[in-house]
């Protein structure tokens, strides 16, 4: 029998219990840093050192943290479902936990790319990207991150994937950032949608959504147990 497909959209909250800061919670990254100064192409042109340092610090931290119960529960879900994760996160904690199909919407911290040819993407050795690190065409390497104002190349594929879901899960995202926040709109009519987040998230655009007001670790583990029993 073919397995039912579960598509999971994750955001910063799924990695919060691993010790990675979210963006918009109190104490979150966008309280400490100005988005326009570190996460736009204009910032990169204006102050490469600052942008590089911001992502170097994020990357360094990533080497010090581990996947948590939420990442592990999603791996377990693969025992009985065809699980596809669409993550807004640039960390690699889903992969390190063992999830097989992970799509990164907003890039990946451990990768860097050419600043003149977006198809030249490289794994960075270690945590530090330095001024003078160049691509094979001789241009400075930049973080492989989708900055504010830049197109999100994976969106058509993510929308297509969402349209094939039998069950949809949303974990740990404030649903503030489009187009990611709109992906749930591509789910087929009647597709059950679960949303796990300890805070109130705007859900008026998601008819019939089942909201689970829990942290990702507990909420995901419990929902996964339930879905495995129902499979
Ligand atoms: N478990 C689950 N959710 C949590 C937890 C937790 N332990 N802790 C916090 N959250 C929730 C918050 O309540 C919030 O709804 O995680 C969400 C984090 O929201 P944001 O900080 O806005 O992160 P996200 O939605 O992933 O941001 C989207 O914005 O700046 C960008 O590119 C960046 O991919 C990111 C995008």
């Amino acid at each position: 029998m073919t397995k039912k497909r579960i598509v999971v959209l994750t955001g910063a909250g799924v990695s919060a219990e691993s010790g990675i800061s979210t963006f918009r919670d109190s104490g979150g990254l966008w309280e400490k840093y100005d988005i326009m100064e570190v996460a736009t192409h204009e910032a990169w042109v204006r102050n490469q050192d600052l942008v590089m340092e911001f992502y170097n610090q994020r990357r360094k931290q990533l080497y010090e943290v581990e996947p948590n119960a939420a990442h592990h529960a999603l791996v377990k879900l693969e025992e009985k479902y065809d699980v596809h994760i669409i993550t807004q996160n640039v960390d690699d904690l889903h992969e390190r936990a063992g999830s097989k199909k992970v799509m990164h919407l907003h890039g990946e911290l451990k990768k860097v790319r050419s600043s003149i040819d977006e198809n030249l993407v490289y794994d960075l050795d270690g945590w530090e990207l330095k001024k003078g690190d160049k691509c094979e065409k001789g241009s400075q390497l930049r973080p492989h991150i989708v900055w504010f104002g830049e197109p999100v190349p994976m969106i058509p594929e993510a929308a297509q994937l969402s349209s094939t879901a039998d069950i949809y899960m949303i974990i740990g995202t404030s649903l503030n950032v489009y187009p990611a926040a709109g992906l749930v709109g591509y789910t087929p009519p009647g597709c059950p949608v679960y949303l796990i987040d300890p805070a109130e998230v705007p859900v008026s655009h998601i008819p019939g959504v089942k909201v689970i007001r829990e942290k990702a670790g507990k909420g995901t583990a419990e929902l996964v147990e339930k879905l495995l029993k129902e499979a």
Side-chain angles (χ1 to χ4, degrees), residues 95-140:
E95 288 93 336
R96 273 159 59 191
S99 284
K100 291 199 188 70
K101 295 166 202 153
V102 184
M103 178 192 295
H104 285 270
L105 282 182
H106 295 159
E108 292 175 70
L109 258 184
K110 288 188 175 170
K111 293 186 176 165
V112 290
R113 72 168 185 261
S114 162
S115 40
I116 54 168
D117 181 348
E118 63 187 14
N119 297 313
L120 295 178
V121 178
Y122 307 88
D123 290 324
L124 184 66
D125 234 356
W127 62 269
E128 197 176 15
L129 175 64
K130 298 194 194 79
K131 229 172 179 165
D133 289 346
K134 297 203 167 132
C135 77
E136 64 213 56
K137 290 186 178 170
S139 84
Q140 173 67 43

Side-chain angles (χ1 to χ4, degrees), residues 10-17 21-25 30 35 88-90 106 145-146 148 171-177 196-201 214-217:
T10 65
V14 81
S15 297
E17 287 157 86
S21 288
T22 61
F23 297 96
R24 295 174 184 79
D25 288 306
W30 296 151
I35 293 183
Q88 297 168 86
N89 298 343
V90 295
H106 295 159
I145 299 286
V146 175
F148 283 90
I171 308 172
T173 170
S174 62
L175 292 178
N176 256 287
V177 174
I196 300 171
D197 200 296
E200 202 171 331
V201 171
E214 296 279 3
K215 288 186 174 179

Side-chain angles (χ1 to χ4, degrees), residues 3-194:
K3 289 175 173 174
K4 279 192 174 175
R5 175 167 290 179
I6 300 188
V7 179
V8 189
L9 175 70
T10 65
V14 81
S15 297
E17 287 157 86
S18 292
I20 299 181
S21 288
T22 61
F23 297 96
R24 295 174 184 79
D25 288 306
S26 120
L29 281 173
W30 296 151
E31 232 173 56
K32 298 193 187 107
Y33 298 88
D34 181 344
I35 293 183
M36 300 311 288
E37 297 298 325
V38 294
T40 62
H41 189 260
E42 291 74 13
W44 175 249
V45 171
R46 217 171 27 238
N47 193 345
Q48 265 184 26
D49 287 333
L50 181 69
V51 175
M52 234 181 288
E53 174 63 11
F54 175 73
Y55 288 101
N56 280 344
Q57 287 312 317
R58 310 272 79 71
R59 204 177 295 108
K60 191 174 183 193
Q61 182 194 32
L62 185 49
Y63 281 95
E64 292 156 8
V65 301
E66 299 291 339
N68 65 53
H71 301 104
H72 291 301
L74 292 173
V75 179
K76 196 161 177 231
L77 198 56
E78 293 185 10
E79 288 172 10
K80 296 203 176 157
Y81 291 92
D82 174 29
V83 180
H84 292 253
I85 296 174
I86 302 171
T87 187
Q88 297 168 86
N89 298 343
V90 295
D91 67 50
D92 61 351
L93 296 180
H94 286 301
E95 288 93 336
R96 273 159 59 191
S99 284
K100 291 199 188 70
K101 295 166 202 153
V102 184
M103 178 192 295
H104 285 270
L105 282 182
H106 295 159
E108 292 175 70
L109 258 184
K110 288 188 175 170
K111 293 186 176 165
V112 290
R113 72 168 185 261
S114 162
S115 40
I116 54 168
D117 181 348
E118 63 187 14
N119 297 313
L120 295 178
V121 178
Y122 307 88
D123 290 324
L124 184 66
D125 234 356
W127 62 269
E128 197 176 15
L129 175 64
K130 298 194 194 79
K131 229 172 179 165
D133 289 346
K134 297 203 167 132
C135 77
E136 64 213 56
K137 290 186 178 170
S139 84
Q140 173 67 43
L141 291 169
R142 57 163 273 182
H144 184 48
I145 299 286
V146 175
W147 285 322
F148 283 90
E150 293 188 320
V152 186
M154 296 307 287
I155 277 294
E157 213 175 301
Q160 158 64 23
L161 190 56
S162 300
S163 75
T164 64
D166 295 305
I167 298 170
Y168 207 76
M169 282 166 70
I170 301 172
I171 308 172
T173 170
S174 62
L175 292 178
N176 256 287
V177 174
Y178 282 79
L183 284 171
V184 62
Y186 291 90
T187 54
C191 171
V193 180
Y194 297 92

Side-chain angles (χ1 to χ4, degrees), residues 4 6 73 76-77 80-81 167-169 192-196 210-212 218-231:
K4 279 192 174 175
I6 300 188
K76 196 161 177 231
L77 198 56
K80 296 203 176 157
Y81 291 92
I167 298 170
Y168 207 76
M169 282 166 70
V193 180
Y194 297 92
L195 183 145
I196 300 171
K210 298 171 184 70
V211 177
I212 299 167
K218 181 167 186 283
T220 310
E222 287 176 1
L223 179 57
V224 164
E225 281 310 314
K226 170 180 128 71
L227 293 170
L228 287 173
K229 277 194 197 119
E230 287 172 8

